[in-house]
Amino acid sequence: MNIQTKEEFLQVYKASTSDQLKEQELDQDVLEIISGVRKDGDEALYRYTNKFDHVVLDSLIVSEEELLEAKKQVDAGFLDALKQAKENIEAFHKEQKEQSWFVNKAPGILLGQKVTPIEKVGVYVPGGKAAYPSTVLMDVIPAKIAGVEKIVLTTPPQANGKINPHVLVAAQLVGVDTIYKVGGAQAIAALAYGTETIEKVAKIVGPGNAFVARAKKWVYGDVAIDMIAGPSEICIVADQTAPPSFVAADLLSQAEHDELASSICITTSEALAEQILAEVEKQTNVLERSEIITQSLKQNGKIIVTANLKEAFSVVNEIAPEHLQLMIEKPYDSLSNIKNAGAIFLGNYSPEPLGDYFAGPNHTLPTNGTAKFASPLGVYDFMKKSSIISYSEEALLQATDSIIKIATVEGLTAHANSIQIRKDDPNA
Amino acid sequence: MNIQTKEEFLQVYKASTSDQLKEQELDQDVLEIISGVRKDGDEALYRYTNKFDHVVLDSLIVSEEELLEAKKQVDAGFLDALKQAKENIEAFHKEQKEQSWFVNKAPGILLGQKVTPIEKVGVYVPGGKAAYPSTVLMDVIPAKIAGVEKIVLTTPPQANGKINPHVLVAAQLVGVDTIYKVGGAQAIAALAYGTETIEKVAKIVGPGNAFVARAKKWVYGDVAIDMIAGPSEICIVADQTAPPSFVAADLLSQAEHDELASSICITTSEALAEQILAEVEKQTNVLERSEIITQSLKQNGKIIVTANLKEAFSVVNEIAPEHLQLMIEKPYDSLSNIKNAGAIFLGNYSPEPLGDYFAGPNHTLPTNGTAKFASPLGVYDFMKKSSIISYSEEALLQATDSIIKIATVEGLTAHANSIQIRKDDPNA
């Protein structure tokens, strides 16, 4: 981690973009898996699970027995915390629910949009050594509130053929319909195209490794996906009122995700920058994941000193960070300066982990600069709109000439005819 | 075009899905173009325009002179119609504008979402023999209403190096900032990654040919895109109150788009089915684009007879048509039965061309069954949300134990530390 000026930082900084040609090798593998699942269905899922997860499964579906067993394995304190988180996440996301609407702006004319839930959704939850019950809550609760009829979850089995009990408990708590023991590109293919056991869904959400991410890109269009997530990022804007120990702890919490994670602090105070650096060194050593943290900070840890807050915000908007913490004296006064960020945390007592697990807003956020065009996952991602167009005979007859004129210019004369035929003989 | 039962139809019907392996040949060409533009910038744009459009350009940008010339070339009647359409499209889309919001559900806690426009948007408009001024209106107006700062348009030049005057007039009418004479995959690459002349945008919208569609799929993730559009479809549900001549004219207007367009009528009346067939034959012959229409109807034209309306709606929801016309006695009574459709046209006087050009709702709609998960293009496509999380010291201190518990279960101990450090010494 080092201290830079805004100019030094921006000269080098660029949100990474995909190198389409470089990914072709991974794509060959992913495409083979997708086409295997489309061809062989369940049989391919058993085969790939054996190959990649080194597990021979009896069933692709988590049994009732396994669900009961999981409940016994998790401690009551964790379950209480999870229930509180669920309540907060539900309360926040209920505010996002959209309504159908219409307007009558002229006699005989009704226009509007009907809002309906997506019918079937698949949630991918990564496996591996860690378990992510919080991802289950964040991905399933908005779909439930939207009114999605069927929500299934798929996650790779552990070496013993089981699923982590914390994930199973979270899935039961939020009411997932079925849980599958399938991971990787094969899980994405199964959700996108269906197999004997796994029903095709209309939308796939959830994070995953490179195979999952590429598979999501390939099935995109045939089904909807939430986003293609990149490494996680934090950007903290701090002035002299920010406790350096808090800032350092928050940078480190981001860095522990993985070596590619970015932890960036932007401050107007050179003195604070030095204090934060000292705190980072002090705190890193006592943390469990200090190796990952050290690697991550070395590659992507930066403290940027700017002349004033205005300059700091221009850097923020260029980065468009996934997480933005405003640890400054008057954070609300600066909100108008923020154009691009996934989530904005205000003040010294709103650290990122509060949002990751508990406060209520979604932790599935646009990464790698995509906050320039994308939003946090929300209820709106599980609903869709149908436009409503209703004209009376009188209303249409007033509009015929304009419609025919434009259709004719575009060379679509059968379009013109559809209007003309009504004009010529409205009561056919 | 033939008459089928629901069972006969559904047995064969499947929304087409992408064959990822089959597209690899096209992809090779598209990837070469994208990487050419990323490497050589403007020079690649001139080169590909020469190669694919057979034009040697002096400049990639439409000049002020060309814009003035275009205004002189279009007739006043067309301009009036276009202005009326613009007014209707603006009025409808203004209703879609979302607001930032927040809630205070407990002392010291503020949560919400800040809604901001995307800063830079690129609109692709297809060229070729036809001109699509209506596409310009439908793609640019919602972006303008969203508050997008910079909107550029790109479209392939005609053989004479010029752009169709109707497109240029429409672009001026809605306030496009700059118009480029670039088409195909090279235009998409330029918008996604930038060149010396064309500034990188955050989102690309608009329809195009196969090259454009595949290029959009490849740059998706580095920039946002609206959708990957497929062939256009109409589905008309008709009962004995529908005039067969109207139904036939509307099916034909869909069929004239191209050979791959789908025109489907679902009716409860066998007699009406026969009358519609007869009308289709009668009307086709006098239409300019009768060859395309005949091909399209042969491949994808269907009349399906169902026992009752309920059955008809189950077919509709399976197809999830781009355009749905309800030409039945009480269309509003049936609205609750419709789950999946891009736009719903009610009654005998709301034919699709009314929506294509004039009424106000967007004509950029989800095709090929994607109405199961996607919405019409709207103002919401040009805005994005940032979550807001603000906890006071007291509020955070009440939540610390739950957050630490979940972070620990997920194995993210630096996350736990970020909370613990505040708990231990809140006023550091």
Side-chain angles (χ1 to χ4, degrees):
Chain A
M1 204 165 195
N2 64 7
I3 300 179
Q4 299 184 326
T5 64
K6 177 194 163 195
E7 287 69 28
E8 284 164 344
F9 174 76
L10 285 181
Q11 205 167 18
V12 183
Y13 176 78
K14 264 194 183 171
S16 68
T17 51
S18 56
D19 183 338
Q20 285 97 350
L21 296 173
K22 230 179 169 177
E23 317 224 45
Q24 286 187 304
E25 207 169 303
L26 173 57
D27 279 343
Q28 281 311 318
D29 293 339
V30 169
L31 287 174
E32 202 185 298
I33 295 169
I34 294 175
S35 103
V37 173
R38 292 181 80 164
K39 200 167 125 275
D40 300 329
D42 282 355
E43 194 257 304
L45 297 182
Y46 285 108
R47 192 169 74 227
Y48 292 126
T49 304
N50 190 357
K51 182 172 172 187
F52 297 116
D53 304 305
H54 314 292
V55 174
V56 178
L57 292 176
D58 296 328
S59 165
L60 298 171
I61 300 178
V62 172
S63 69
E64 285 298 323
E65 212 171 46
E66 288 171 306
L67 289 173
L68 284 172
E69 201 182 305
K71 278 189 181 169
K72 292 181 201 149
Q73 285 176 279
V74 308
D75 78 80
F78 168 74
L79 194 59
D80 280 347
L82 207 64
K83 281 180 180 167
Q84 249 187 292
K86 172 179 179 265
E87 218 169 276
N88 292 344
I89 298 166
E90 279 175 350
F92 182 80
H93 285 83
K94 275 180 184 160
E95 303 288 335
Q96 293 177 337
K97 196 155 178 184
E98 292 170 89
Q99 306 241 303
S100 299
W101 59 273
F102 69 89
V103 285
N104 294 128
K105 294 234 167 167
I109 301 178
L110 182 147
L111 302 172
Q113 289 198 302
K114 175 178 153 113
V115 184
T116 39
I118 292 175
E119 282 181 80
K120 292 169 196 162
V121 165
V123 175
Y124 187 89
V125 177
K129 283 165 209 156
Y132 301 103
S134 62
T135 300
V136 177
L137 268 57
M138 292 293 184
D139 284 354
V140 175
I141 290 171
K144 275 275 168 194
I145 291 172
V148 174
E149 278 169 35
K150 186 161 185 184
I151 303 172
V152 302
L153 186 153
T154 187
T155 186
Q158 298 169 329
N160 63 359
K162 307 265 183 199
I163 305 296
N164 178 289
H166 298 97
V167 167
L168 291 185
V169 163
Q172 292 177 82
L173 185 65
V174 293
V176 166
D177 291 298
T178 312
I179 305 168
Y180 301 111
K181 297 179 180 181
V182 185
Q186 59 273 24
I188 302 302
L191 291 172
Y193 302 109
T195 70
E196 299 87 334
T197 299
I198 300 185
E199 201 183 348
K200 174 180 168 38
V201 300
K203 183 159 191 167
I204 301 173
V205 302
N209 63 16
F211 276 79
V212 170
R214 289 307 285 180
K216 280 171 76 179
K217 185 172 171 99
W218 279 106
V219 302
Y220 164 74
D222 290 340
V223 293
I225 65 172
D226 51 348
M227 62 179 74
I228 296 168
S232 198
E233 314 137 17
I234 198 171
C235 180
I236 301 177
V237 178
D239 65 15
Q240 70 292 342
T241 65
S245 62
F246 291 9
V247 178
D250 300 349
L251 292 170
L252 292 168
S253 86
Q254 188 59 34
E256 81 171 328
H257 275 295
D258 67 66
E259 290 82 354
L260 296 172
S262 285
S263 305
I264 296 172
C265 175
I266 310 175
T267 177
T268 48
S269 159
E270 183 104 33
L272 183 68
E274 297 288 356
Q275 289 170 310
I276 293 168
L277 261 191
E279 274 289 336
V280 163
E281 292 208 2
K282 188 176 128 197
Q283 292 182 30
T284 303
N285 298 323
V286 298
L287 290 169
E288 263 179 44
R289 296 163 72 91
S290 59
E291 267 182 53
I292 294 174
I293 291 172
T294 305
Q295 272 305 313
S296 168
L297 290 182
K298 197 174 154 192
Q299 287 172 40
N300 306 305
K302 296 270 176 291
I303 301 183
I304 304 160
V305 179
T306 59
N308 49 49
L309 282 177
K310 203 183 145 204
E311 270 197 9
F313 297 132
S314 80
V315 178
V316 167
N317 288 326
E318 192 50 46
I319 298 175
E322 183 188 9
H323 307 95
L324 172 66
Q325 289 186 197
L326 298 180
M327 299 177 76
I328 53 180
E329 199 178 355
K330 296 182 176 172
Y332 281 99
D333 288 1
S334 296
L335 213 42
S336 64
N337 296 97
I338 309 300
K339 289 182 179 179
N340 304 319
I344 309 170
F345 297 78
L346 283 77
N348 294 336
Y349 300 95
S350 307
E352 191 205 305
L354 166 67
D356 287 342
Y357 296 123
F358 193 77
N362 213 286
H363 78 192
T364 305
L365 297 168
T367 59
N368 191 34
T370 59
K372 286 184 179 171
F373 53 75
S375 300
L377 191 73
V379 175
Y380 36 77
D381 285 300
F382 298 100
M383 309 200 77
K384 65 218 164 44
K385 303 175 181 86
S386 302
S387 294
I388 305 288
I389 297 169
S390 175
Y391 265 49
S392 68
E393 181 184 337
E394 296 70 29
L396 182 71
L397 291 178
Q398 281 180 28
T400 50
D401 293 351
S402 294
I403 304 172
I404 291 168
K405 190 86 204 177
I406 304 177
T408 307
V409 161
E410 295 203 350
L412 295 173
T413 45
H415 281 59
N417 181 58
S418 149
I419 303 298
Q420 188 72 47
I421 207 166
R422 287 167 165 89
K423 188 182 173 186
D424 291 345
D425 184 8
N427 299 306
Chain B
M1 203 164 195
N2 65 5
I3 301 179
Q4 299 184 325
T5 64
K6 177 192 164 197
E7 288 69 27
E8 286 164 343
F9 174 75
L10 284 182
Q11 206 168 14
V12 184
Y13 177 78
K14 263 192 180 170
S16 68
T17 51
S18 56
D19 183 338
Q20 285 94 352
L21 297 174
K22 228 177 167 178
E23 318 224 46
Q24 286 186 304
E25 209 169 302
L26 173 57
D27 279 344
Q28 281 312 320
D29 292 339
V30 169
L31 287 174
E32 202 184 298
I33 295 169
I34 293 175
S35 102
V37 173
R38 291 180 81 163
K39 202 168 123 276
D40 300 329
D42 282 354
E43 194 257 305
L45 297 181
Y46 284 109
R47 192 170 72 228
Y48 292 126
T49 304
N50 190 356
K51 182 173 173 186
F52 297 116
D53 303 305
H54 313 293
V55 175
V56 178
L57 292 176
D58 297 326
S59 164
L60 298 171
I61 300 177
V62 172
S63 68
E64 285 298 322
E65 211 172 47
E66 286 171 307
L67 290 172
L68 284 172
E69 199 182 305
K71 278 189 181 169
K72 290 180 203 151
Q73 285 176 280
V74 308
D75 78 78
F78 167 75
L79 194 60
D80 280 346
L82 207 64
K83 282 181 180 168
Q84 247 186 294
K86 172 179 179 260
E87 219 169 276
N88 292 344
I89 297 166
E90 280 176 349
F92 181 81
H93 285 82
K94 276 181 184 160
E95 304 287 334
Q96 294 177 336
K97 195 157 179 181
E98 292 171 87
Q99 305 241 302
S100 299
W101 59 272
F102 69 90
V103 286
N104 294 128
K105 293 232 167 168
I109 300 177
L110 182 146
L111 303 170
Q113 289 197 302
K114 175 180 154 111
V115 184
T116 39
I118 292 175
E119 281 182 81
K120 292 169 197 163
V121 165
V123 175
Y124 188 89
V125 177
K129 282 165 209 154
Y132 301 104
S134 62
T135 300
V136 177
L137 267 56
M138 292 292 184
D139 285 355
V140 175
I141 290 171
K144 275 274 168 193
I145 290 172
V148 174
E149 277 169 36
K150 185 163 185 182
I151 304 171
V152 302
L153 185 153
T154 187
T155 187
Q158 299 169 328
N160 63 1
K162 306 265 182 196
I163 306 295
N164 179 290
H166 298 98
V167 167
L168 292 184
V169 163
Q172 292 177 83
L173 186 65
V174 292
V176 166
D177 292 299
T178 313
I179 305 167
Y180 301 111
K181 298 179 181 180
V182 185
Q186 58 274 22
I188 302 302
L191 291 172
Y193 303 110
T195 69
E196 298 88 333
T197 299
I198 301 186
E199 202 183 347
K200 173 180 170 37
V201 300
K203 184 158 191 167
I204 302 172
V205 302
N209 64 14
F211 276 78
V212 170
R214 290 306 287 181
K216 279 171 78 179
K217 184 172 171 101
W218 279 106
V219 302
Y220 164 73
D222 291 340
V223 292
I225 64 172
D226 52 347
M227 64 179 73
I228 296 168
S232 199
E233 314 137 15
I234 198 169
C235 180
I236 301 177
V237 178
D239 67 14
Q240 71 292 342
T241 64
S245 62
F246 290 10
V247 178
D250 299 350
L251 292 170
L252 292 169
S253 86
Q254 189 59 32
E256 81 171 328
H257 275 296
D258 66 69
E259 289 82 355
L260 296 172
S262 286
S263 305
I264 296 172
C265 175
I266 311 175
T267 178
T268 49
S269 160
E270 183 104 35
L272 184 69
E274 297 288 355
Q275 289 170 309
I276 293 168
L277 262 191
E279 274 288 337
V280 163
E281 292 209 1
K282 188 175 129 198
Q283 291 183 31
T284 302
N285 298 323
V286 298
L287 290 169
E288 263 179 43
R289 295 163 73 91
S290 59
E291 268 182 52
I292 295 174
I293 291 172
T294 306
Q295 273 304 314
S296 168
L297 291 182
K298 197 174 156 193
Q299 289 173 37
N300 306 305
K302 296 270 178 289
I303 301 183
I304 304 161
V305 179
T306 60
N308 50 48
L309 282 179
K310 203 182 147 205
E311 269 196 9
F313 297 132
S314 80
V315 179
V316 166
N317 288 327
E318 193 49 47
I319 298 175
E322 183 188 9
H323 306 94
L324 172 66
Q325 288 186 201
L326 298 180
M327 299 177 74
I328 53 181
E329 200 178 355
K330 295 180 177 174
Y332 281 98
D333 288 2
S334 296
L335 213 42
S336 64
N337 297 98
I338 308 301
K339 289 181 178 178
N340 305 320
I344 309 170
F345 298 77
L346 283 78
N348 293 336
Y349 299 95
S350 307
E352 191 205 305
L354 167 66
D356 286 344
Y357 296 123
F358 194 76
N362 212 286
H363 78 190
T364 305
L365 296 168
T367 58
N368 192 34
T370 59
K372 286 184 179 171
F373 53 76
S375 301
L377 191 73
V379 174
Y380 36 79
D381 285 301
F382 298 101
M383 308 200 79
K384 66 217 166 41
K385 302 174 181 86
S386 303
S387 294
I388 304 289
I389 298 170
S390 175
Y391 266 49
S392 68
E393 182 184 337
E394 296 70 29
L396 182 71
L397 290 178
Q398 281 180 29
T400 52
D401 294 351
S402 295
I403 303 172
I404 290 168
K405 189 86 203 176
I406 305 177
T408 307
V409 162
E410 295 203 351
L412 295 174
T413 45
H415 281 59
N417 181 58
S418 149
I419 304 297
Q420 188 71 48
I421 207 166
R422 286 168 166 89
K423 189 182 172 184
D424 292 344
D425 185 9
N427 299 306

